[in-house]
Amino acid sequence: MPKIAREIHLVKRPTGLPGPDSFRLAERQLAEPVSGQLLVRNQWISVDPYMRGRMTEKKSFIPPFALNEVMEGAAVGIVEESRDPAFKPGDTVSHFAGWRDLALIDAAGAAVVDPAFPLQAYLGPLGFPGLAAYAGFLRLGEPRPGETVFVSAAAGAVGSLVAQIARIKGNHVIASAGSPDKIDWLLKEAGVDQVINYKTEKDITAALAKAAPRGIDIYFDNVGGDHLEAAIANANDFARFTLCGMIAQYNGEPIGPRNIYAVIEKSLKLQGFIASNHLDLWPDFQRDMKQWITDGRIKWKETVVEGLENSPQAFLDIFAGANAGKMLVKLG
Amino acid sequence: MPKIAREIHLVKRPTGLPGPDSFRLAERQLAEPVSGQLLVRNQWISVDPYMRGRMTEKKSFIPPFALNEVMEGAAVGIVEESRDPAFKPGDTVSHFAGWRDLALIDAAGAAVVDPAFPLQAYLGPLGFPGLAAYAGFLRLGEPRPGETVFVSAAAGAVGSLVAQIARIKGNHVIASAGSPDKIDWLLKEAGVDQVINYKTEKDITAALAKAAPRGIDIYFDNVGGDHLEAAIANANDFARFTLCGMIAQYNGEPIGPRNIYAVIEKSLKLQGFIASNHLDLWPDFQRDMKQWITDGRIKWKETVVEGLENSPQAFLDIFAGANAGKMLVKLG
């Protein structure tokens, strides 16, 4: 019996903030799996800010999405059919054929995950957002105990993990977030020391100066724009900046930090990075993160949207800051 | 008999491009040297772009110049009187009491230099510009043979040394400079592979793309502004940027690189630095640079202005690009 997959296609390359008209729900009849393939029923799919970059034509670290084709992204699902000896029906796997309910994939692109943890954790703390936080903060931030760390979009999927890893490592953590709920969670659950509400503060630089009178030593950037300028302005000499995302400028006129000369004056290091270039840390990351989760030292928030048809709106809502923690789409 | 020093004082903090009215020639009667002091007759004094930063009130890596006081800067001179056993009259010393003809200084701030090399070399290839090039390129640029290096203001004091060290290390070198004379010197004397004339090229990004079709791996920034944007636009993944100076924006409205998001996409490292934070390399630097000079592998250009009274104009001329190589003021 032919299998029908429901998929989200990109039908128009957005300029500026994308709208729902860039996406279309489509159906596709799948072939039977051949040797080395799996048929996977997705349970959770991921929508992430970086996907905005793939919606343009511009070459980036990852190729653009094709027009009128299904998009890609992280997903976890259950194997329905396997033509690879390493997988069997019922296995839970993570893979990259998201934005669809049923995926015919090469087994080489799938990994069995331990169902002792919630499946959707493999799209968050135990997935690429977790690796981004772990590698970006520990390897590139080079934290020393007692240093002051500033994390932007700290209630987001990556930022919330960075904030908590920094606390585990004995750092003083200043976070930025955009709603009372998020701030409350950061202070009470994630244990950060101070939070700046970037939506009510007119001047992030002044707010950070007040929160960090002795300056910051590490900045983990998920926002860019005024947050990056504020971090440069308040950086101590030899501070390390991990540039992980710049959600403030994915959809508008790009803005460079006007105080970039201070990068010289203060001997700052600004290091851009992509989590997938740090896969050598994967075993350490999985070991540490699983331990921290088990010990209750890492918590996470999720914003769950149900139904594949709602995944474009879930993606769009990220840019309005509607998500607390990881934005997830639950299927089935 | 009382000694009279002639000095250049800062009398007005400039806004924008400084003019001659910010400076005044003054005289001062010096006291007799006491124990631990030297009286030094300066032979050469240095005027450098970074001094623009010290003319403002803003705190930086080095304190602002005081108003209505003599400025400071690198200088070399001959000891006339010594009240320190480590120095004797006739010694040639480098020190930091520039912008004056006669200097009463603490012996701790002076170092005897080998007169086998031209004295003014200690303000250039054997001084801080040399250390900036050596440490900034070799330590922070992490060059590997065969990589492509872009150097801005490559006919300047630091840039010309970076370009030649890069050639010595087996790199392909693309330089930017602003006059036919400078370009000629870079191609024929310094041995760089290609030069971009930034005064005739309207679009530095396009010019660099043409000069470096396979992209750049290292950028040594002395300019900032459009050069920094061009380097980001043409960088290969994992390129290293040493940010040493940003002469394009010392006097005007600061501009940040609008394409800074590409720092993430390409996993670039932007490292700001101050040569004085790399003094641990001083012995290696002196050994290598003296050898390279002796072997004729490092050449340098000088622009010499005579007379202390002309030092403010010499300083101002740097911002018009009037100097080829190190701008020097010769006294006596």
Side-chain angles (χ1 to χ4, degrees), chain B residues 80-160:
Chain B
E80 285 201 347
E81 296 177 30
S82 171
R83 297 288 308 275
D84 185 288
F87 298 82
K88 58 181 192 303
D91 280 351
T92 49
V93 292
S94 72
H95 60 92
F96 211 60
W99 292 100
R100 73 201 80 179
D101 58 3
L102 198 58
L104 181 66
I105 60 174
D106 287 343
V112 173
V113 297
D114 176 358
F117 293 89
L119 277 198
Q120 70 274 28
Y122 294 98
L123 302 181
L126 294 173
F128 271 82
L131 179 64
Y134 187 90
F137 179 68
L138 294 177
R139 173 174 277 175
L140 302 179
E142 305 168 56
R144 290 180 287 263
E147 286 190 323
T148 298
V149 176
F150 178 45
V151 189
S152 57
V158 177
S160 61

Side-chain angles (χ1 to χ4, degrees), chain B:
Chain B
M1 208 176 85
K3 300 282 168 77
I4 305 292
R6 297 166 74 228
E7 308 176 334
I8 303 295
H9 290 198
L10 181 71
V11 294
K12 199 185 90 178
R13 299 202 183 279
T15 52
L17 197 64
D21 60 334
S22 281
F23 310 99
R24 189 167 60 92
L25 181 65
E27 295 197 343
R28 179 195 304 266
Q29 184 172 326
L30 300 182
E32 289 299 313
V34 298
S35 176
Q37 285 191 321
L38 309 175
L39 185 71
V40 178
R41 185 160 301 275
N42 285 336
Q43 304 294 302
W44 296 88
I45 63 175
S46 188
V47 291
D48 299 289
Y50 84 86
M51 293 171 171
R52 175 67 183 83
R54 297 193 70 184
M55 293 174 189
T56 63
E57 250 170 342
K58 198 166 72 77
K59 183 185 163 295
S60 178
F61 62 95
I62 189 166
F65 290 131
L67 272 184
N68 300 308
E69 252 303 341
V70 61
M71 295 184 288
E72 295 178 318
V76 286
I78 296 171
V79 175
E80 285 201 347
E81 296 177 30
S82 171
R83 297 288 308 275
D84 185 288
F87 298 82
K88 58 181 192 303
D91 280 351
T92 49
V93 292
S94 72
H95 60 92
F96 211 60
W99 292 100
R100 73 201 80 179
D101 58 3
L102 198 58
L104 181 66
I105 60 174
D106 287 343
V112 173
V113 297
D114 176 358
F117 293 89
L119 277 198
Q120 70 274 28
Y122 294 98
L123 302 181
L126 294 173
F128 271 82
L131 179 64
Y134 187 90
F137 179 68
L138 294 177
R139 173 174 277 175
L140 302 179
E142 305 168 56
R144 290 180 287 263
E147 286 190 323
T148 298
V149 176
F150 178 45
V151 189
S152 57
V158 177
S160 61
L161 299 171
V162 171
Q164 293 174 88
I165 296 171
R167 291 289 301 140
I168 290 169
K169 295 297 179 182
N171 296 114
H172 183 81
V173 178
I174 299 166
S176 87
S179 77
D181 276 6
K182 293 176 181 176
I183 290 171
D184 208 49
W185 184 84
L186 284 164
L187 290 170
K188 294 190 184 150
E189 297 290 326
V192 312
D193 299 285
Q194 281 155 286
V195 188
I196 292 168
N197 185 331
Y198 73 87
K199 286 198 175 159
T200 58
E201 290 286 354
K202 293 232 175 333
D203 181 341
I204 309 291
T205 296
L208 183 56
K210 198 172 153 197
R214 289 181 308 157
I216 63 165
D217 304 297
I218 296 176
Y219 174 49
F220 194 101
D221 192 14
N222 296 304
V223 169
D226 56 357
H227 279 74
L228 180 54
E229 282 194 349
I232 292 173
N234 286 286
N236 291 326
D237 287 356
F238 309 112
R240 289 80 63 199
F241 283 34
T242 295
L243 309 185
C244 177
M246 295 191 179
I247 197 165
Q249 52 204 60
Y250 292 172
N251 296 309
E253 198 57 39
I255 297 169
R258 290 162 295 178
N259 54 356
I260 190 154
Y261 182 60
V263 173
I264 298 180
E265 295 178 298
K266 298 178 178 187
S267 295
L268 307 184
K269 182 188 76 167
L270 275 57
Q271 174 81 62
F273 96 111
I274 303 294
S276 54
N277 291 326
H278 297 271
L279 285 171
D280 60 302
L281 288 179
W282 190 269
D284 290 351
F285 151 60
Q286 288 284 310
R287 180 200 61 220
D288 288 347
M289 190 65 78
K290 284 178 174 170
Q291 191 64 54
W292 291 332
I293 292 172
T294 302
D295 295 346
R297 303 183 77 185
I298 288 276
K299 298 167 186 175
W300 70 93
K301 274 181 90 74
E302 295 171 353
T303 301
V304 177
V305 169
E306 301 221 7
L308 180 70
E309 64 280 10
N310 295 318
S311 53
Q313 192 57 49
F315 170 74
L316 301 177
D317 283 350
I318 294 174
F319 297 101
N323 56 309
K326 181 77 185 89
M327 181 67 97
L328 294 163
V329 180
K330 188 175 190 305
L331 306 181

Side-chain angles (χ1 to χ4, degrees), chain A residues 144-184:
Chain A
R144 290 179 287 264
E147 287 191 322
T148 298
V149 176
F150 177 45
V151 190
S152 56
V158 177
S160 61
L161 299 170
V162 171
Q164 293 174 87
I165 295 172
R167 291 290 299 142
I168 290 169
K169 295 297 179 181
N171 295 114
H172 183 82
V173 178
I174 299 166
S176 87
S179 78
D181 275 6
K182 292 176 182 176
I183 290 170
D184 207 50

Side-chain angles (χ1 to χ4, degrees), chain A residues 6-27:
Chain A
R6 296 167 71 230
E7 307 176 333
I8 303 294
H9 290 199
L10 181 72
V11 294
K12 198 185 89 177
R13 300 204 181 277
T15 53
L17 196 66
D21 60 335
S22 281
F23 309 99
R24 190 167 59 91
L25 181 65
E27 294 196 344

